[in-house]
Amino acid sequence: MERKSIFLLLLFLPSLTFSLISSPPRPNLCHPDDEKVLLKIKDYFHNTSLFSTWIPHTDCCKWRIVSCKKIPKTTIHRVNFLEIDGADDLVGTIPPLIADLPYLETLIFRLLPNLTGPIPQAIARLPHLKFVLLNWNNLTGPIPDYFSKLTNLATLGLNNNQLTGPIPAYLGRLPKLQGLDLYDNHLTGPIPDSFGSFKAGSQVTLSNNMLSGPIPRSLGKVNFSIFEAAGNQLTGDASFLFGECKTELAHLDLSRNKLSFDLSKVVMPVGQLESNLLVLRLENNMIYGKLPAWLGQASLLYDFNVSYNQLFGPIPTVGGKLQEFDPSSFSHNKGLCGSPLPPCKQGRPGSIELFALAQERASL
Ligand SMILES: *[C@@H]1O[C@H](CO)[C@@H](O)[C@H](O)[C@H]1NC(C)=O
Ligand SMILES: *[C@@H]1O[C@H](CO)[C@@H](O)[C@H](O)[C@H]1NC(C)=O
Ligand SMILES: *[C@@H]1O[C@H](CO)[C@@H](O)[C@H](O)[C@H]1NC(C)=O
Ligand SMILES: *[C@@H]1O[C@H](CO)[C@@H](O)[C@H](O)[C@H]1NC(C)=O
Ligand SMILES: *[C@@H]1O[C@H](CO)[C@@H](O)[C@H](O)[C@H]1NC(C)=O
């Protein structure tokens, strides 16, 4: 039976390939409305080289940086993907015309140094958008309120622009949003309380802005996979972001802030020691207390820095992980000692604890 079918397949294979080669060219799938809009966008950007394959009356679904998708239960194909990226000679603002591509799911404008001005309100008219990257441009103005209408949005990248104003609270409540990159802008104000509504596995990057105030405690309820808020002016406690129950956490970067909390409080129960932690950066804050012993057992950790804080006491040796890092990962603290730093002062038993206690009192 099996052998017979293989034989039949071999018999038909030559004619099958022949028919594929000689089949007539694929019909033009481009929807005329989409072609019209794309050609207007090409014209809007003065026909720059990026659009050289966008030739009228050819299949726009095959044009560079464009893709189409079959609308379910029809034979109609509509443009669902547009990626305009990496062109210095593209000058101007994001054209409101994009809202006339109503089936867009992916919209990318990135690496365009001469793309300026605000994010147009027209984007709110694209309800199917799932993936929006408007990053590495020179966009200005606030993060618009009208993104709140994009309830299918899963990824929003607005990083590396010149955006100003606060982080809107609705971003924490978009039901499907799991990736949010806002790093390298000029955003001000606090991290919204609503960020406690992000789903498990979310990746949120807010580094290099001018965010201030304490990190809301609500964020302690979230199993972030990545949380980065380095290079801001955040204050107070952050111990609730890692340790116990934060089993999905891979990257935590809170460096270069004004955070002040007792690192000894961050515990990890024995049963959870198989953490996913790869990156833990806390340098340049006002964090005090001791390094918790479990850090030495975080076997995947490869980027670790707690320098320029107020930590004291011996660097944990159980597990041996912390001894793999450069001394500069531990430098400029109140009294960290032991490998890879110089050995703790030898003295009568308990002197390290007394020293630590004195340090702790001094820091209060
Ligand atoms: C761009 O090309 C179209 C033809 O595809 C032409 O009609 C239009 O005038 C051109 N625009 C510019 C600004 O060169
Ligand atoms: C666009 O950006 C590049 C790099 O920032 C710059 O050299 C160039 O002069 C800009 N203007 C135009 C019209 O290409
Ligand atoms: C923004 O514009 C400046 C000045 O033209 C340029 O140097 C910079 O590279 C641009 N930013 C980005 C992210 O392209
Ligand atoms: C994170 O997820 C793990 C299971 O994947 C769960 O055991 C833990 O309670 C969760 N933590 C939080 C803070 O929800
Ligand atoms: C740790 O951070 C400090 C302060 O920014 C820096 O000087 C040092 O090189 C860093 N060490 C490592 C190993 O990244």
Side-chain angles (χ1 to χ4, degrees):
M1 185 77 168
E2 228 172 68
R3 195 169 293 174
K4 199 170 169 187
S5 60
I6 287 171
F7 174 72
L8 279 174
L9 189 68
L10 286 174
L11 199 70
F12 281 107
L13 213 53
S15 62
L16 197 68
T17 41
F18 180 74
S19 77
L20 275 177
I21 289 164
S22 63
S23 67
R26 207 156 59 100
N28 185 340
L29 297 176
C30 182
H31 194 281
D33 291 353
D34 289 344
E35 176 177 330
K36 231 178 278 168
V37 175
L38 289 170
L39 287 173
K40 279 191 202 162
I41 291 173
K42 177 182 170 171
D43 197 29
Y44 176 93
F45 287 122
H46 304 283
N47 298 346
T48 53
S49 55
L50 201 62
F51 307 103
S52 59
T53 60
W54 292 20
I55 295 160
H57 313 303
T58 61
D59 187 353
C60 73
C61 296
K62 289 186 196 151
W63 291 354
R64 229 187 102 215
I65 65 177
V66 178
S67 303
C68 300
K69 182 184 173 181
K70 190 171 156 307
I71 305 303
K73 297 179 189 135
T74 70
T75 56
I76 298 167
H77 288 69
R78 298 300 302 253
V79 169
N80 73 327
F81 177 100
L82 179 63
E83 176 177 3
I84 297 183
D85 99 355
D88 273 15
D89 58 351
L90 187 134
V91 180
T93 57
I94 297 176
L97 276 166
I98 49 161
D100 299 328
L101 296 169
Y103 290 88
L104 271 187
E105 292 172 341
T106 298
L107 177 66
I108 303 174
F109 277 89
R110 72 192 296 261
L111 292 163
L112 305 164
N114 296 310
L115 188 74
T116 55
I119 298 164
Q121 184 159 10
I123 287 185
R125 288 196 277 130
L126 294 170
H128 300 291
L129 280 178
K130 287 181 187 151
F131 191 87
V132 174
L133 288 188
L134 309 175
N135 54 2
W136 295 94
N137 307 304
N138 263 314
L139 301 175
T140 53
I143 298 173
D145 276 346
Y146 29 85
F147 274 129
S148 62
K149 299 211 177 108
L150 303 180
T151 50
N152 287 305
L153 206 57
T155 300
L156 178 63
L158 302 175
N159 52 287
N160 296 84
N161 282 293
Q162 318 277 350
L163 301 175
T164 50
I167 298 180
Y170 70 79
L171 286 177
R173 291 190 291 260
L174 283 177
K176 294 181 183 164
L177 193 68
Q178 282 208 278
L180 177 66
D181 274 357
L182 301 176
Y183 66 87
D184 266 323
N185 278 290
H186 310 299
L187 302 170
T188 50
I191 297 174
D193 209 35
S194 64
F195 276 32
S197 304
F198 270 104
K199 278 180 301 299
S202 289
Q203 309 191 345
V204 172
T205 306
L206 310 173
S207 299
N208 296 349
N209 279 288
M210 297 185 286
L211 304 174
S212 56
I215 299 174
R217 287 219 62 109
S218 58
L219 273 67
K221 292 180 298 189
V222 185
N223 249 324
F224 286 108
S225 145
I226 296 179
F227 187 80
E228 302 189 346
N232 284 291
Q233 288 146 32
L234 301 168
T235 55
D237 195 4
S239 61
F240 48 84
L241 288 177
F242 57 130
E244 195 166 12
C245 293
K246 300 303 185 304
T247 44
E248 299 193 24
L249 190 65
H251 289 227
L252 182 66
D253 187 351
L254 301 171
S255 59
R256 296 177 289 117
N257 277 292
K258 296 173 181 167
L259 298 168
S260 172
F261 59 92
D262 184 351
L263 192 55
S264 334
K265 277 196 319 197
V266 181
V267 294
M268 192 71 120
V270 181
Q272 282 182 21
L273 278 180
E274 271 312 309
S275 81
N276 289 305
L277 202 59
L278 302 167
V279 175
L280 179 61
R281 299 201 38 190
L282 302 172
E283 74 267 21
N284 292 92
N285 278 290
M286 297 179 288
I287 300 167
Y288 54 91
K290 296 186 193 178
L291 289 176
W294 62 267
L295 281 175
Q297 285 153 286
S299 57
L300 303 176
L301 194 62
Y302 73 89
D303 187 359
F304 176 77
N305 202 330
V306 292
S307 65
Y308 294 88
N309 278 294
Q310 294 165 19
L311 299 163
F312 64 85
I315 295 171
T317 51
V318 182
K321 191 69 202 178
L322 295 182
Q323 280 63 44
E324 293 174 13
F325 294 102
D326 191 80
S328 69
S329 288
F330 303 91
S331 65
H332 294 88
N333 272 289
K334 275 203 163 162
L336 286 178
C337 60
S339 175
L341 293 182
C344 298
K345 286 200 186 74
Q346 294 300 309
R348 60 194 168 78
S351 66
I352 287 170
E353 281 69 24
L354 287 174
F355 172 72
L357 201 63
Q359 293 285 326
E360 194 168 27
R361 291 218 174 104
S363 73
L364 289 177

